[in-house]
Amino acid sequence: MQIPAPHANTKGIKFLLKSKVKTAFSCCSLNERLLIKGGRVVNDDQSFYADVYIEDGLIKQVGENLVVPGGVKVIEANGRMVIPGGIDVNTCLMKPFLGTQPVDDFLQGTKAAIAGGTTMIIDHVTPQPEDSLLEAFERWQEAADKKACCDYSLHVDIPQWNESVKYELELLVQEKGVNSFQVYMAYKDVYQMTDSQLYEAFSFLKQLGAVVLVHAENGDLIAQEQRKILGMGITGPEGHPLSRPEELEAEAVFRAITLGNRVNCPVYITKVMSKSAADTITQARRKGSVVFGEPITASLATDGSHYWSKNWAKAAAYVTSPPLSPDPTTPDHLHTLLACGDLQVVGSSHCAYSTSQKAVGKDDFTLIPEGTNGVEERMSFVWDKAVAMGKMDENQFVAVTSTNAAKIFNLYPRKGRIAVGSDADIVIWDPDSVKTITAKLQQSASEYNIFEGLECRGAPAMVLSQGRVVYEDGNLQTQQGTGRFIPRKPFPDYAYQRVKFRNQVKNKQGVTRGIYDGPVYDVIPTPKYITPAPSAKTSPTSHQPPPIRNLHQSNFSLSGAQIDDNVPRRSGHRIVAPPGGRSNITSLG
Amino acid sequence: MSYQGKKNIPKITSDRLLIKGGRIVNDDQSFHADIYMEDGLIKQIGDNLIVPGGVKTIEANGKMVIPGGIDIHTHFQMPYRGTTTVDDFNQGSKAALAGGTTMIVDHVIPEPGTSLMEAYDQWRQWADEKTCCDYSLHVDITHWNDSVKQEVDNLIKEKGVNSFHVYMAYKDYYQMSNSELYEVFTFLAERGGIAQVHAENGEIIAEEQARMLQMGITGPEGHVLSRPEELEAEAVFRAITIASQTNCPLYVTRVMSKSAADIISQARKKGNVVFGEPITASLGTDGTHYWSKNWAKAASFVTSPPLSPDPTTPDYLNTLLSSGDLSVTGSAHCTFSVAQKAIGKDDFTQIPEGVNGVEERMALIWDKAVTTGKMDENMFVAVTSTNAAKILNLYPRKGRIAVGSDADLVIWDTDSIRTITAKTHNSAAEYNVFEGMELRGAPLVVICQGKIVLEDGNLHATSGVGRFIPCSPFPDFAYKRVKARKQLAVLRAVPRGMYDGPVSEFSMSRGGTPSASARTSPTKQPVRNLHQSGFSLAGNPAPCGDLCNSTGGMSTIFLKDIPSFGVSVMVVKGAV
């Protein structure tokens, strides 16, 4: 393979046009014509041998014996796999923690993504409570436009629920191209929402056609457990998983799904970290719930036993929420579910903090900033642990690393597929390359890599982003600021088609009955028993003044002779018998 | 067998009774033997007993003799918006005896904000005056604070209450938050109490109710539409999670749906200490009646959680009861007259909740589970009597036919067939949710406190003879496992060298991590160190933020040394 000549030029230009003159870049890429010859195109549905011709950042032709203009740069794939570039649906490259930023920003983070075969990321905008969602979104977009080296999109996290948030959400969906929002069931007194708020948020987001992302952990119980564990004198990172046992995750997943079912809204569980949470999702899908599960690189490749490491910095590097499960069989189980389709998408939840940032919590595990690396290792680990082990085929590999994400978030078929008209985000995958993960060789700026020392089979040989070669044989040729924001439309079919049909089916109807005109018990006007919410809507008859004693009374019988017929009516009963004879309820229907 | 008034009660001259030729059925075995009772206790069991002369003898003729039923869940004489349920302790316990149940456990429900102790005294007074059979009390915890805590402590230590009921539904009224549940469960686990839960997600119910009313659905069908069974299953799951965190035995009252029952049986398979209580109504009928055109009939089925509209539910619950996944049966007997139910005639959320079932409970289980071959007679005794006695820590005084046990027993007629109807039942309610059902199996003779109270279809119950039976804490049935686990589940910190590497500067002003935000690290502001320079944690890291090199000297943390770590502690936790 030759080194693409035009790149020398563009690299030079990059420094000249350091400010964001995006049009200039797209001018350059106009001339970029590429032909990938002799590869095996692997989509999520089938694999076939074909050449791929790329022009202007788009795939123009797929097939054999293509007619292409002269002077086209040719890449010989030699029968290797040509797959759609990976989509990492969960990164946090700008998530602030107590005023500091993660060490991997949009530049560093997207470089790491590309080095791992991922050509698009969806980052989380994480406003603080009280912040404006819109402003936060714009801040993120600005930062990413300056720095990102690959296409990106943004999820917006909803830190609290109120009326002004609703307005901003509408704006974000309709004008800003955001169709996914995250809500939190954990982080008590900060981000956590109550069930009622979640219900409202789900209902509202469903109307907008957005995908609801849920951080599923029971925050109330976590707060209690944290207090207990700190009270026992456990302050190290092991307190983190001890205070967040996996059943708290499973419980919240169950509750989120219940809410989703009630509202008839698609639910997407971010960071599936434990077997029991994954099992809960599986069962719900069996019953027909529209729910998606996203395991992350960390939960697929390592486990929580490291929290007990004697090395504080190492133990702290694993701190993320929900925590990695201490059960070492977890990764294997999650891979199995991923392979059979019960879990759909793999993210990385890449959120890298330096050791000194993590050390903020050196005397109190609740203060350790949460986040692990994984954007670079994501695809390789799925290949190594699922495909190389025979759990998964190559098509399913493409589905879970790229296509499903594109479908759920309404990017398909622009992203997530090699087809005519799709973006030229393509990876030539080398299934046999073996490398050992180490912090020394990673793109990320963090000192620790939680996969340190793990051997991993499968890696990208070449990565194309927007029709340009950005990675080849270990060399990155990325350009800062070339990443475009990809807007996403609401109502993705993959999530909403079923929901729409169910909406039609689900219309409930009351029973038409004759008006009940039998006796009504007279209630004390100050109702102490307030049945939930709609307490305003009490029965109009419930506050009547004491009725006038009716002389018809006596022989009124509802079910024939009563055993207490011979017993006088107890004084507690005052019966309001309506004037006008028999009611419609005199028989036991 | 209708109630004729007190004048017909025959004078039982002797407290001595002999049952001859019966087949004793306990929860573990069945055998032929005679039983001799004196002073309300079983004195002898065996063949050819030597008994004093002049003893009244009952010929059992090979029929089953079983321990009297224990209905672990009733609401007799329950106050409701200034009125009470139509079955008071007299009426209710008579119905119980007529159905073969010789002990009831009623729920004390204090209004939120009022004293638990006063409510308890009130219930004791009502019950002591009127009950015809022995009884115990559960106390419902309707709000939570330190004084309630103190009262719960006193109730356990001095008043003979070992089970407390909390609510996950009834938003803004009885409902407790997860944090409160955690505290209640923690406290009960320390004191040896049983945590009972009403498991339904009250917050979602409130939203759904508002929605239904908005859609114009005001009839009883709105009740079940606004409380779909997954809300029950969700709450059961959550309750089990909290109980397992706090290591507290959990008792789920009123298991009404398949999915809730499934959650319980899954949890039991994982080792959780959880008991499920289906009630007569959920075992015998279903929620299709909520759509009845007859408002009064539809309203009579209103109870919470609602009966499931899935008609296969009763069969399924009977199966799980037979397999032991559900442990006890109650009736949740709480009857309102049609006029009382009609408070909610224009708004289903105002319909008082409750169904009958105390009289039908045992016959219904016999009919649906034993005659269909799901369950054997010993299991029948277990789920109607013995398990309840074990959970309440009354075993073997109650729930077993053994020397020294209370003489509460029933001669059971396996072949008698009755049709349930409101015309002949012993409850004061106009409706019976089992109306028209044919049930096989009925008590032939009921002996309560050593006296015959039902014979030849005649009930001779005496008001006020019922005694309060105190329950002591830490029942083995629930707590033996819990105690063992407490010893195992001790968490330990990892002893590490002090972390003395660089610490990032941070501000606590915004968005702190949860709860413990008060506990800031003492080394908040690291002094800039001049040793700086070449300190590296991971070989040659890519250029990073300005913090990587901020402080220095040798630290105890090196990347490459990966010492062994103590996984064992957490494995133990996982197993629990």
Side-chain angles (χ1 to χ4, degrees), chain A residues 97-100 128 131 187-188 190 194-196 199-200 218 220-221 223-226 228-230 232-234 236-238 242 245 247-248 250-251 254-255 258-259 261-262 283 305-315 326 355-357 359-360 362-364 366-367 439-440 444-445 447-448 452 508-513 516 519-521 523-524 527-534 537-541 558-559 561-564 570 573 575 585 587-589, chain B residues 80-83 86 91 111 170-171 173 178-179 182-183 201 203-204 206-209 211-213 215 217 219-221 225 228 230-231 233-234 237-238 241-242 244-245 263 266 290-298 338-340 342-343 345-347 349 423 425-427 429-431 435 491-496 499 502-507 510-516 519-523 537-538 542-544 547 557-559 561-566 570:
Chain A
F97 177 79
L98 301 177
T100 67
Q128 295 300 315
D131 283 3
Y187 304 107
K188 196 180 180 190
V190 188
T194 65
D195 288 356
S196 303
Y199 187 96
E200 281 174 29
N218 188 320
D220 285 342
L221 296 193
Q224 295 280 2
E225 292 283 322
Q226 286 181 333
K228 189 175 96 185
I229 301 260
L230 285 172
M232 293 165 71
I234 300 178
E238 69 276 14
L242 290 175
E247 53 183 339
L248 302 196
E251 188 280 315
F254 196 98
R255 189 149 40 99
T258 305
L259 280 156
N261 288 348
R262 277 303 87 217
Q283 281 163 22
S305 52
H306 304 281
Y307 290 118
W308 279 265
S309 165
K310 292 269 187 190
N311 179 338
W312 189 92
K314 184 183 178 205
T355 299
S356 65
Q357 283 173 319
V360 166
K362 76 190 180 67
D363 302 315
D364 178 353
T366 66
L367 292 175
K440 285 182 197 160
S444 162
E447 301 101 324
Y448 267 86
E452 188 75 34
K508 287 175 180 143
Q509 277 168 352
V511 175
T512 40
R513 296 188 178 87
Y516 173 88
V520 178
Y521 215 94
V523 187
I524 292 178
K528 275 197 135 185
Y529 183 96
I530 309 153
T531 335
K537 316 196 179 214
T538 52
S539 156
T541 49
L558 280 160
S559 51
Q562 295 293 308
I563 41 110
D564 62 350
R570 253 157 281 155
H573 294 216
I575 305 286
I585 51 133
S587 64
L588 292 160
Chain B
Y80 175 81
R81 292 171 103 171
T83 75
V86 292
Q91 199 78 34
E111 284 292 306
Y170 305 106
K171 194 184 174 188
Y173 195 52
N178 292 338
S179 308
Y182 185 97
E183 283 173 23
N201 188 317
E203 303 216 358
I204 305 183
E207 299 281 346
E208 293 277 314
Q209 285 181 331
R211 194 164 69 96
M212 289 302 149
L213 289 172
M215 290 165 71
I217 299 178
E221 68 278 12
L225 290 175
E230 55 183 338
L231 303 194
E234 189 281 318
F237 197 111
R238 188 148 42 97
T241 305
I242 300 173
S244 118
Q245 283 312 301
I263 301 283
Q266 278 165 26
Y290 291 117
W291 279 266
S292 165
K293 291 273 186 185
N294 179 340
W295 189 92
K297 185 185 176 199
V338 172
Q340 284 172 322
I343 291 167
K345 77 189 178 65
D346 301 314
D347 177 354
T349 65
K423 288 179 191 155
H425 71 192
N426 282 280
S427 159
E430 299 105 323
Y431 272 83
E435 187 74 33
L491 307 177
R492 277 186 209 88
V494 175
R496 293 188 181 88
Y499 173 89
V503 178
S504 178
E505 263 179 70
F506 65 102
S507 60
R510 46 178 13 201
T513 337
S515 65
R519 305 167 186 257
T520 56
S521 156
T523 50
L537 279 160
C544 60
L547 290 162
I557 46 140
F558 288 93
L559 206 221
D561 91 316
I562 299 171
S564 65
F565 22 82
M570 123 271 132

Side-chain angles (χ1 to χ4, degrees), chain A residues 41 270 326 444 571:
Chain A
V41 174
T270 59
S444 162
S571 57

Side-chain angles (χ1 to χ4, degrees), chain B residues 384-451:
Chain B
T384 55
S385 177
T386 313
N387 289 350
K390 287 179 177 170
I391 289 173
L392 293 165
N393 220 356
L394 296 174
Y395 187 80
R397 177 175 176 187
K398 301 281 185 189
R400 188 168 184 84
I401 297 178
V403 174
S405 298
D406 279 0
D408 288 350
L409 36 86
V410 172
I411 301 180
W412 191 256
D413 183 353
T414 54
D415 301 319
S416 119
I417 295 179
R418 283 190 307 176
T419 304
I420 305 291
T421 164
K423 288 179 191 155
T424 56
H425 71 192
N426 282 280
S427 159
E430 299 105 323
Y431 272 83
N432 188 314
V433 294
F434 310 104
E435 187 74 33
M437 208 175 273
E438 254 192 13
L439 294 184
R440 180 188 295 262
L444 195 65
V445 176
V446 177
I447 296 163
C448 182
Q449 299 178 6
K451 297 188 182 68

Side-chain angles (χ1 to χ4, degrees), chain A residues 485-503:
Chain A
F485 174 73
I486 310 287
R488 295 173 291 134
K489 291 203 179 71
F491 293 107
D493 272 352
Y494 195 63
Y496 267 93
Q497 218 160 37
R498 280 176 289 171
V499 166
K500 280 180 196 163
F501 279 113
R502 287 178 198 183
N503 270 344

Side-chain angles (χ1 to χ4, degrees), chain A residues 169 429 504:
Chain A
L169 291 176
W429 190 257
Q504 293 161 11

